[in-house]
Amino acid sequence: MAKKKTVKYKAGKSSNNVEENAAIYVVKKNGNGTKSFSSILSFSHKPESQMTNFEKMAAVEDGISKEELQKLKEKTSMDYDKLAKALSVTRATLINKKKQEKFNAGLSERIFSLADLYSYGYEVFEDVSRFNTWMFRPNQALGGKTPFELIGSPFGRDEVKNVIGRIEYGVYS
């Protein structure tokens, strides 16, 4: 059974004590202090999570192709059913595109946002399969839900990204 740890959350002038299952994630860095991961969608030489907002906007404006979605699918080890759920679209919408055809702006933005989240997770966890597994494990910091259950909306992706950030900086999560 997992150990319990009492954590103080401070919000403004008030603070709350919450008892949660303890979880520790250790982030290791390369010898020179940097983390090296390649981009998922290959729009740039750097990972999506390290791109500027202008670079991200340009990529989305140009549109995400089915070929790029395939790269995301392979890297994340998700099938079309899971991808469709994460992107809030039907499975047919994802499958029916030809290789070079591009998705509309709204879906392209959601695909890029998902790639950005996974890119950040891969950097923090420094292990693709470990992060992919983490995405499907219940997390107390997310109300006992799995991160995957929340990534279908922008607010859920933000919450998951916040937890990853807490893990990166060694804050109890």
Side-chain angles (χ1 to χ4, degrees), residues 66-147:
K66 167 80 176 269
E67 189 174 35
E68 296 296 329
L69 179 71
Q70 280 295 123
K71 291 176 185 175
L72 175 66
K73 180 180 172 288
E74 290 166 15
K75 188 84 170 199
T76 61
S77 299
M78 282 195 261
D79 59 19
Y80 279 113
D81 291 325
K82 287 180 182 163
L83 268 176
K85 183 175 180 184
L87 297 169
S88 301
V89 295
T90 65
R91 185 176 187 271
T93 300
L94 301 179
I95 292 174
N96 290 339
K97 287 277 186 209
K98 303 282 186 258
K99 200 171 193 177
Q100 293 302 319
E101 274 187 288
K102 296 189 178 191
F103 294 99
N104 65 37
L107 184 50
S108 289
E109 188 169 0
R110 291 194 305 271
I111 293 168
F112 196 92
S113 176
L114 188 62
D116 185 29
L117 174 91
Y118 269 82
S119 174
Y120 183 44
Y122 295 153
E123 288 177 49
V124 170
F125 280 70
E126 294 186 340
D127 185 298
V128 170
S129 64
R130 203 168 113 208
F131 179 72
N132 288 346
T133 301
W134 179 83
M135 285 294 292
F136 290 91
R137 289 213 170 128
N139 189 306
Q140 291 300 317
L142 298 172
K145 293 185 177 197
T146 68

Side-chain angles (χ1 to χ4, degrees), residues 38-54:
S38 60
S39 67
I40 295 171
L41 301 176
S42 69
F43 278 102
S44 171
H45 61 282
K46 57 187 169 183
E48 288 79 6
S49 61
Q50 293 179 7
M51 293 172 71
T52 67
N53 284 337
F54 288 108

Side-chain angles (χ1 to χ4, degrees), residues 155-169:
F155 305 113
R157 285 189 295 275
D158 284 347
E159 282 303 314
V160 172
K161 209 167 194 177
N162 287 338
V163 171
I164 297 167
R166 289 169 55 192
I167 291 168
E168 179 179 26
Y169 288 98

